Amino acid sequence: MLPCSSDARPVTDTMFARGIKRKCFDGEDEIEGTLAGFKAIPSYNLQRQSLLDMSLVKLQLCHMLVEPNLCRSVLIANTVRQIQEEMTQDGTWQIINAQSTGQTSLDRLVSTDILCRSSKEQGEGKFISGYSNFNTDFEEIQTQDISELSTVTSVQTSRNMQNLWEMGNSQDNKGNFQKSLDQIFETLENKNPNSVEDLFSDVDTSYYDLDTVLTGMMGNTKMGHCEVLESFSSQATTNSSSNCKTELNEIDHIVEILVES
Amino acid sequence: MEEDLDARKINSTFLRDHSYATEADIISTVEFNPTGELLATGDKGGRVVIFQREQESKNQPHRRGEYNVYSTFQSHEPEFDYLKSLEIEEKINKIRWIPQQNAAYFLLSTNDKTVKLWKVSERDKRPEGYNLKDEDGRLRDPSTITTLRVPILRPMDLMVEATPRRVFSNAHTYHINSISVNSDYETYMSADDLRINLWNLEITNRSFNIVDIKPANMEELTEVITAAEFHPHHCNTFVYSSSKGTIRLCDMRSSALCDKHAKFFEEPEDPSNRSFFSEIISSISDVKFSHSGKYIMTRDYLTVKVWDLNMENRPVETYQVHDYLRSKLCSLYENDCIFDKFECVWNGSDSVIMTGSYNNFFRMFDRNTKRDVTLEASRENSKPRAILKPRKVCVGGKRRKDEISVDSLDFSKKILHTAWHPSENIITVAATNNLYIFQDKVN
């Protein structure tokens, strides 16, 4: 069960080899029957959402490169467009955005969780345990961090709101989204030669080395990327706990926090 | 027993060395020359290694035409574009041989931005006894020259020299994905993500833009060029493929800028297989004319398709390369494997096609018998004259002996580049930093 099919009927046999017992995420019968309705098919929407998140993270990473692989960027951007179109059609775009205010952190955690786990399960068994350890560790850290960071993040968000989202009406998320896509394409063409240096000038490169992030993504096909994604989403959660307005803003925040911390 | 232990030791060192192979050693392209006598490989470190097939000897019939290293040279170096503040990788994206016209061999090699024409020639004699130069090449004082002599050629050890003859630069803003020599042997084209340029092999300071799909506003960009090739016999015709799974055939006689295609090959999407990944997996990673020029073969993520030049609405043949991955597209998207660019090749008579897959597997499809086979390029079966055993990937729960489950495929071992000898059944397969050459069973 994956966000693979764009009509509302999920492909049931995907992801799991035949003969292996499938885990039940949600009532599948429900999903078969109802079309669209957000409440009726939460898992499909959740997975579609996580696919969208993943695509946006990928796009942002392209965005940071001076000369990204154009074919890959275009294909990812088209995928994002397609998901956005579908979400606008069935109305989930608004609902998700309305819901996202305030309590995104948990939703997001769950969504990336599902995505990573499902891909790991078919990868290597041993990694799952490592992953779940990581996850619990992360939760512990998170609870500490939120209390410690609350002041910092609120300062950051208010500043970010001014800097980045002053154009974006909180209700007009589509415009915001379009904007971020447009920015990405703009940079595909006209690269500010200093952008990457500027971005990373204050960053402790030993940890946030762009190469490490990217080679983790490109090179290590088994597990690297999931960890990267996870680290991104951990950034996102600490951030989004402080009233971040939209999903998309968050992705931008992730990058910005990466840059500023 | 002792021998066994020793053998194991040797093996483990060998394997360790293997795993320490650097990124620069990864083979990024392989190509036979038009006679099949030479085989060129390019790697991520910008090197070109040429192998030559040794002459058949009557004394050792089992050593039939093995390939040995003939010449190695550094084709491209890492560069820095100061205007865009960006590093240009030295990785060789493609190599294409120019059909041989004299004793020397010529080939084109390209990285992301610059195409180079290399001359590879042999020298086994050196001139001796010049009148105006001494043996070290220094000019002699004319007053000391009292007699005239005729210079002679003396035999020496065979030397293979590679010299850069032309450098075609500054014509591509995006990354070059294909080069193709025209059947007139005078021109070639180079294709990047958005443009295709036509060059004369002799002229480096000028090229003609023949395709440009760059939109005025880059925000509207939804499609890129993924590969391009000239027709093997008609020098006015070429094709290029796109990230949307379409192929355009252009005729250079119709206009200087081939914005309007002569033919447009596209298969309607199967609604039952539609998913968020439909477009990504339909993106064409390679396009090749058959030797006859009657067919085009395209490779997308899951299939190889053969198109008849006279039928644009659907391919005449579709072969599943690794359909079992259809259920894994999400994780393949996550780990970026879905963007891997697999190439495909024809055999000499256009009756068999070959392409790569994961886990060091590669596939062959016989177009006449419709039989297909999965083979593996691995160290175990690469012992000289070992016979390749067909491999099978099992999809269901029950795994038979010798089968490998989809879940245990290694996605870091991928065969992207393969080549087929132009007339014989000799194939070469590049698996990361190893090059395998297989041939039909002797006898």
Side-chain angles (χ1 to χ4, degrees):
Chain A
M1 294 237 304
L2 267 176
C4 292
S5 77
S6 63
D7 50 1
R9 180 183 57 83
V11 183
T12 42
D13 252 336
T14 53
M15 220 69 206
F16 300 104
R18 245 169 273 142
I20 295 172
K21 211 170 182 183
R22 264 179 279 129
K23 275 186 191 162
C24 185
F25 288 123
D26 281 293
E28 272 170 41
D29 302 341
E30 256 181 273
I31 303 163
E32 293 288 346
T34 11
L35 215 108
F38 175 63
K39 287 245 166 89
I41 42 168
S43 70
Y44 174 72
N45 280 314
L46 211 57
Q47 286 162 356
R48 183 173 61 183
Q49 183 63 42
S50 52
L51 181 65
L52 178 66
D53 291 352
M54 186 160 69
S55 305
L56 289 167
V57 170
K58 279 179 188 284
L59 271 186
Q60 283 291 358
L61 285 169
C62 294
H63 182 107
M64 284 194 271
L65 290 171
V66 182
E67 207 168 63
N69 177 341
L70 195 63
C71 182
R72 180 174 168 274
S73 315
V74 165
L75 287 170
I76 297 171
N78 287 353
T79 308
V80 170
R81 283 199 191 98
Q82 199 188 330
I83 298 173
Q84 185 226 342
E85 217 168 88
E86 194 189 291
M87 289 174 83
T88 318
Q89 267 174 18
D90 64 17
T92 35
W93 192 252
Q94 275 86 28
I95 298 168
I96 281 186
N97 287 321
Q99 283 210 342
S100 68
T101 323
Q103 46 142 352
T104 29
S105 59
L106 254 180
D107 289 351
R108 295 190 52 81
L109 188 64
V110 170
S111 63
T112 32
D113 184 23
I114 284 177
L115 205 73
C116 289
R117 193 171 287 166
S118 54
S119 65
K120 278 324 127 198
E121 267 176 5
Q122 42 153 5
E124 272 176 282
K126 62 176 182 185
F127 186 54
I128 296 172
S129 60
Y131 167 76
S132 55
N133 280 344
F134 178 80
N135 211 15
T136 46
D137 287 353
F138 164 66
E139 277 167 42
E140 281 168 25
I141 295 163
Q142 193 206 358
T143 41
Q144 289 172 358
D145 278 358
I146 288 174
S147 54
E148 282 172 20
L149 290 175
S150 56
T151 45
V152 185
T153 40
S154 62
V155 171
Q156 268 187 351
T157 348
S158 60
R159 207 174 58 89
N160 290 341
M161 306 259 273
Q162 282 172 356
N163 288 350
L164 283 165
W165 323 124
E166 54 191 359
M167 306 287 282
N169 186 335
S170 61
Q171 305 205 319
D172 186 10
N173 292 308
K174 195 181 161 186
N176 227 343
F177 168 80
Q178 203 58 52
K179 204 181 118 206
S180 68
L181 255 190
D182 291 350
Q183 282 169 350
I184 288 158
F185 276 110
E186 229 166 80
T187 41
L188 286 180
E189 180 171 38
N190 297 318
K191 287 291 158 195
N192 176 2
N194 295 322
S195 57
V196 174
E197 284 90 330
D198 287 351
L199 276 171
F200 288 94
S201 54
D202 298 328
V203 180
D204 174 9
T205 44
S206 62
Y207 187 72
Y208 291 117
D209 188 2
L210 184 60
D211 283 344
T212 331
V213 173
L214 291 172
T215 45
M217 195 164 167
M218 313 284 196
N220 195 335
T221 49
K222 281 254 158 173
M223 39 206 273
H225 175 55
C226 200
E227 286 170 321
V228 171
L229 202 67
E230 205 57 40
S231 67
F232 270 99
S233 65
S234 69
Q235 300 283 348
T237 16
T238 38
N239 177 52
S240 58
S241 56
S242 50
N243 297 334
C244 176
K245 287 217 169 171
T246 66
E247 302 279 329
L248 296 155
N249 295 359
E250 272 180 55
I251 305 289
D252 286 343
H253 281 265
I254 297 166
V255 175
E256 190 152 284
I257 286 171
L258 253 183
V259 167
E260 286 182 356
S261 57
Chain B
M1 191 63 205
E2 239 175 14
E3 268 178 21
D4 278 353
L5 269 177
D6 281 343
R8 213 175 301 149
K9 236 184 249 166
I10 291 164
N11 270 340
S12 65
T13 5
F14 197 46
L15 285 174
R16 202 180 56 210
D17 285 347
H18 163 61
S19 61
Y20 279 135
T22 60
E23 177 88 359
D25 297 324
I26 294 174
I27 298 168
S28 51
T29 182
V30 287
E31 185 78 3
F32 279 104
N33 79 334
T35 62
E37 186 206 346
L38 301 178
L39 168 67
T41 66
D43 66 25
K44 285 202 169 176
R47 283 162 304 199
V48 171
V49 180
I50 300 173
F51 299 85
Q52 186 185 39
R53 195 180 186 191
E54 72 185 24
Q55 297 299 314
E56 281 183 47
S57 81
K58 283 181 184 124
N59 310 334
Q60 298 169 290
H62 61 274
R63 283 177 65 87
R64 193 182 75 161
E66 291 185 7
Y67 283 82
N68 300 315
V69 174
Y70 179 64
S71 171
T72 305
F73 59 93
Q74 188 75 34
S75 169
H76 286 69
E77 303 272 0
E79 282 177 82
F80 195 78
D81 183 334
Y82 293 95
L83 285 176
K84 293 168 112 185
S85 187
L86 104 101
E87 271 182 69
I88 302 167
E89 273 184 273
E90 64 273 33
K91 178 189 159 215
I92 308 294
N93 291 345
K94 282 277 154 45
I95 290 175
R96 288 290 177 267
W97 291 89
I98 316 282
Q100 198 176 357
Q101 284 157 316
N102 54 35
Y105 304 98
F106 287 87
L107 64 82
L108 289 170
S109 62
T110 186
N111 67 351
D112 284 341
K113 303 280 175 176
T114 306
V115 185
K116 292 183 181 178
L117 174 69
W118 288 89
K119 177 186 179 182
V120 181
S121 53
E122 292 183 358
R123 196 193 292 181
D124 59 357
K125 292 184 182 67
R126 76 194 146 87
E128 224 172 66
Y130 283 119
N131 288 295
L132 299 175
K133 284 191 286 191
D134 65 16
E135 297 309 324
D136 299 325
R138 282 179 302 233
L139 278 180
R140 288 166 66 184
D141 181 0
S143 60
T144 63
I145 302 170
T146 52
T147 53
L148 282 180
R149 51 183 179 172
V150 178
I152 50 165
L153 288 173
R154 285 213 186 280
M156 61 168 212
D157 288 342
L158 179 71
M159 212 168 71
V160 182
E161 291 177 317
T163 40
R165 299 307 294 263
R166 303 272 184 278
V167 177
F168 308 88
S169 51
N170 302 321
H172 285 279
T173 314
Y174 301 92
H175 292 174
I176 298 175
N177 52 48
S178 311
I179 44 176
S180 176
V181 180
N182 200 349
S183 55
D184 62 12
Y185 300 174
E186 281 183 3
T187 56
Y188 78 93
M189 67 171 162
S190 54
D192 69 24
D193 297 311
L194 298 177
R195 296 190 182 99
I196 301 177
N197 293 329
L198 179 69
W199 302 81
N200 186 302
L201 281 164
E202 300 290 324
I203 300 164
T204 59
N205 62 358
R206 187 174 31 171
S207 70
F208 299 93
N209 181 234
I210 50 174
V211 173
D212 189 344
I213 64 163
K214 184 176 179 292
N217 182 358
M218 275 295 269
E219 289 163 30
E220 290 158 19
L221 180 68
T222 58
E223 187 174 14
V224 298
I225 299 168
T226 53
E229 192 178 44
F230 268 118
H231 190 281
H233 313 304
H234 305 310
C235 64
N236 54 292
T237 311
F238 67 93
V239 289
Y240 68 92
S241 60
S242 95
S243 60
K244 282 193 186 289
T246 61
I247 311 120
R248 288 173 176 82
L249 184 136
C250 301
D251 187 344
M252 291 196 290
R253 294 173 301 189
S254 59
S255 64
L257 189 63
C258 298
D259 275 347
K260 291 197 188 78
H261 49 259
K263 289 188 178 194
F264 182 72
F265 301 86
E266 185 182 31
E267 188 178 29
E269 191 185 27
D270 176 5
S272 66
N273 269 336
R274 227 174 85 83
S275 82
F276 283 126
F277 304 110
S278 296
E279 182 181 330
I280 299 179
I281 61 171
S282 67
S283 173
I284 293 174
S285 51
D286 197 15
V287 60
K288 292 269 168 67
F289 271 106
S290 63
H291 295 89
S292 67
K294 286 182 187 163
Y295 300 99
I296 313 170
M297 166 165 58
T298 57
R299 172 70 210 261
D300 55 41
Y301 192 60
L302 295 179
T303 68
V304 186
K305 290 173 180 157
V306 176
W307 305 75
D308 188 319
L309 274 194
N310 295 314
M311 190 162 80
E312 295 166 61
N313 60 346
R314 63 184 169 85
V316 284
E317 294 153 34
T318 301
Y319 301 97
Q320 300 296 337
V321 179
H322 39 215
D323 202 48
Y324 43 80
L325 297 182
R326 194 176 285 281
S327 60
K328 306 217 170 292
L329 292 178
C330 193
S331 34
L332 292 163
Y333 179 66
E334 189 186 345
N335 64 21
D336 263 7
C337 283
I338 204 167
F339 302 107
D340 285 334
K341 295 193 82 176
F342 291 100
E343 295 173 2
C344 53
V345 289
W346 299 89
N347 74 334
S349 60
D350 297 337
S351 59
V352 183
I353 55 189
M354 173 171 66
T355 190
S357 176
Y358 292 103
N359 207 54
N360 278 352
F361 287 174
F362 58 98
R363 303 265 289 145
M364 286 190 199
F365 305 94
D366 188 315
R367 298 179 58 210
N368 299 321
T369 64
K370 300 294 171 198
R371 283 195 310 186
D372 66 276
V373 66
T374 305
L375 298 169
E376 182 184 8
S378 75
R379 287 186 166 264
E380 287 75 58
N381 57 25
S382 68
K383 294 181 194 95
R385 282 169 296 285
I387 294 170
L388 284 181
K389 261 199 304 189
R391 300 298 310 259
K392 206 163 179 230
V393 177
C394 80
V395 200
K398 248 189 211 162
R399 189 165 65 88
R400 261 179 273 160
K401 199 172 162 265
D402 290 346
E403 283 189 350
I404 180 165
S405 136
V406 187
D407 295 329
S408 42
L409 293 175
D410 187 343
F411 289 100
S412 66
K413 292 179 178 165
K414 42 191 114 181
I415 291 182
L416 304 175
H417 317 285
T418 60
W420 201 307
H421 188 285
S423 54
E424 292 178 46
N425 280 336
I426 299 175
I427 58 164
T428 176
V429 170
T432 327
N433 58 325
N434 297 305
L435 185 73
Y436 295 89
I437 299 174
F438 303 109
Q439 67 175 358
D440 242 356
K441 217 167 114 189
V442 187
N443 306 323

